Amino acid sequence: MDALIDLVNTIFWGYILIYGLLAVGVYFTFRLRLIQILHFPEMLRSVLRADATDKSGITPFQALCTSLASRVGTGNIAGVAVALTLGGPGAIFWMWVVAALGMATAFAESTLAQLYKVKDEQGRYRGGPAFYIARGLKAPWAGGVFSVCLILSFGLVFNAVQANSIADAMHGAFEIPKLWTGLAVAALSGVIIFGGIAAIARTAELVVPFMALAYVALALYALVTHLGAVPAMLGHIVGSAFGIEPAAGGVSGAVAAAMLNGVKRGLFSNEAGMGSAPNIAAVATPDPHHPVSQGFVQSLGVFIDTIVICTATALLILLSGVELGTVTGTQLTQAALEAHVGGLGRYFVAIAIFFFAFTSIIGNYSYAENALVFLGHGHVSGVVILRLGVLAMVVWGAIQSVATVFNLADASMGLMASINLVAIVLLSGTVVRLAQDYLAKRKSGVEPLFIASEMSDLPPGVDGEIWKRKR
């Protein structure tokens, strides 16, 4: 069984998804005419506005913070360190490249999630890839497979992995028994997730900016205190990325290692194209009232996750003087921080892991709840069972090795990501049409409002009641 799972993961993550995610990112970047670069200010405008008249969804800023809660996890601390160890400083350059491409992919999938969203029995917005696959492509069976894979991977197993990271960090820094950590994290998570999507959004809105700003502030401190070394460091990153500098194993081998590890870590960290973030993008009330505005918001999420947070980790490590290859993963980031701030570094890493991983747990759960609604089990008993399952996995993950189950979750996520990539490419014409409509209205000085009945060339499946003219 383990051999079969490993084979599936090798196919998915060694070939299909690495090249597929990159290809789709390039495709949308050019088809949308560099929208993520030329219209970057629109991302900031979309995230800072909020429609107070529509109570069916969360605010764009809450949606951004909740998606970042899931995106920004232990991979931003340990994953970047691994990429640097295996690929050298050049890996960071390729992380930047893949993030720039991924911003276009995130724009596309979140725009579609907004377009095809629905209201549940309580009048709350629901949506995501399963919904645009079922309603836009008329393939509800594929939406069902996607939803099951999302619940298994993001809802259950990945939350066990995050709990495991928290327990390891707390035990290493403060010698707290792992079981006690698991129980505490489960209790804290339970308080939030039993409050539903709205409570998760409010928590993310408070915690995510705090944790991100604190982490970036430390990186800026390292930057300022080592300002003279910055030009050489940037040159080292670019030189290593293109093999300009001499490297062991030959130039071509060094470039390949930098590219492979940078691309992998970038894709895994920002989740663009995976089909996860669109689940919370659909829940937002966009302002302006147009699907594209939430596409811009989630594109900004990729930028913050990789260009900002992952780069902060890279700066801390590369400016620390710690030699790459002596240690890796969390230990490398920890050693780098100790070089910058002394013994406090070890505790800072533990606290950062706690916040990054804990917010990932509640963010991941929000995705799983949307998938459960699509499967028709969004009633009280179904949601309660899912929540209890998540909390049980948190406790279990804190005290157990999760390697085998994690491999299974990787395979599950690989399948859901593959389904999502096919779907957004097939629906790419709709994304382009919506983007053209939004930008044309913005250029003419008109508020970009989307009215479904006025765009007759859209495929069926859009809820006309949601996307009607507001009075």
Side-chain angles (χ1 to χ4, degrees), residues 418-461:
S418 299
I419 293 172
N420 184 57
L421 288 178
V422 172
I424 62 176
V425 169
L426 291 176
L427 292 168
S428 60
T430 300
V431 177
V432 173
R433 178 71 180 88
L434 290 169
Q436 290 172 340
D437 177 71
Y438 185 99
L439 295 175
K441 288 175 179 175
R442 181 66 80 192
K443 186 176 181 179
S444 64
V446 177
E447 181 80 347
L449 300 179
F450 170 70
I451 312 300
S453 60
E454 295 177 359
M455 198 174 288
S456 58
D457 55 336
L458 281 180

Side-chain angles (χ1 to χ4, degrees), residues 119-329:
K119 285 187 178 181
D120 65 12
E121 295 175 354
Q122 286 76 42
R124 298 169 301 193
Y125 291 137
R126 299 287 188 175
F131 292 82
Y132 59 68
I133 290 168
R135 299 170 72 87
L137 295 178
K138 304 301 179 186
W141 65 270
V145 172
F146 177 93
S147 296
V148 170
C149 289
L150 187 146
I151 291 171
L152 288 175
S153 54
F154 281 84
L156 298 174
V157 179
F158 290 163
N159 283 339
V161 174
Q162 297 296 341
N164 189 270
S165 298
I166 294 174
D168 281 344
M170 293 297 107
H171 184 266
F174 306 106
E175 298 185 355
I176 300 173
K178 292 184 177 182
L179 176 59
W180 289 111
T181 298
L183 291 171
V185 172
L188 189 56
S189 301
V191 169
I192 297 169
I193 67 176
F194 269 90
I197 300 293
I200 292 171
R202 288 193 298 270
T203 303
E205 184 180 28
L206 294 173
V207 176
V208 171
F210 163 75
M211 72 177 191
L213 288 172
Y215 196 69
V216 172
L218 191 59
L220 290 174
Y221 167 78
L223 196 69
V224 171
T225 54
H226 297 79
L227 206 55
V230 171
M233 180 197 69
L234 293 175
H236 192 31
I237 289 174
V238 176
S240 177
F242 292 99
I244 297 173
E245 300 178 349
V251 171
S252 59
V255 172
M259 184 181 295
L260 179 64
N261 286 283
V263 167
K264 277 188 175 181
R265 283 299 128 196
L267 293 173
F268 294 167
S269 178
N270 62 52
E271 298 179 14
M274 299 288 188
S276 51
N279 289 278
I280 203 66
V283 178
T285 297
D287 193 4
H289 187 66
H290 198 294
V292 163
S293 64
Q294 188 55 214
F296 278 123
V297 170
Q298 294 305 324
S299 186
L300 180 64
V302 173
F303 177 86
I304 294 172
D305 171 82
T306 307
I307 304 296
V308 178
I309 307 294
C310 288
T311 299
T313 299
L315 288 175
L316 288 167
I317 293 172
L318 293 176
L319 292 172
S320 68
V322 176
E323 186 177 349
L324 298 178
T326 52
V327 289
T328 189

Side-chain angles (χ1 to χ4, degrees), residues 336-376:
L337 275 169
E338 288 179 349
H340 290 297
V341 296
L344 289 176
R346 179 160 61 105
Y347 302 112
F348 184 90
V349 169
I351 294 170
I353 286 176
F354 172 82
F355 278 113
F356 283 14
F358 171 71
T359 53
S360 288
I361 290 172
I362 62 173
N364 289 344
Y365 166 78
S366 70
Y367 300 163
E369 186 177 301
N370 253 16
L372 193 69
V373 170
F374 175 83
L375 293 172

Side-chain angles (χ1 to χ4, degrees), residues 13-78:
W13 296 105
Y15 301 97
I16 296 175
L17 286 177
I18 292 296
Y19 298 110
L21 287 164
L22 277 176
V24 171
V26 171
Y27 173 75
F28 278 109
T29 293
F30 286 99
R31 183 136 197 220
L32 294 169
R33 299 181 180 181
L34 305 178
I35 194 169
Q36 74 273 38
I37 298 171
L38 299 181
H39 298 281
F40 188 86
E42 197 65 38
M43 300 178 193
L44 302 176
R45 183 180 346 206
S46 296
V47 79
L48 294 175
R49 294 180 53 171
D51 183 353
T53 64
D54 189 345
K55 303 297 184 181
S56 298
I58 61 178
T59 69
F61 184 68
Q62 288 176 331
L64 172 67
C65 290
T66 306
S67 68
L68 283 173
S70 176
R71 282 188 172 111
V72 179
T74 53
N76 295 74
I77 295 176

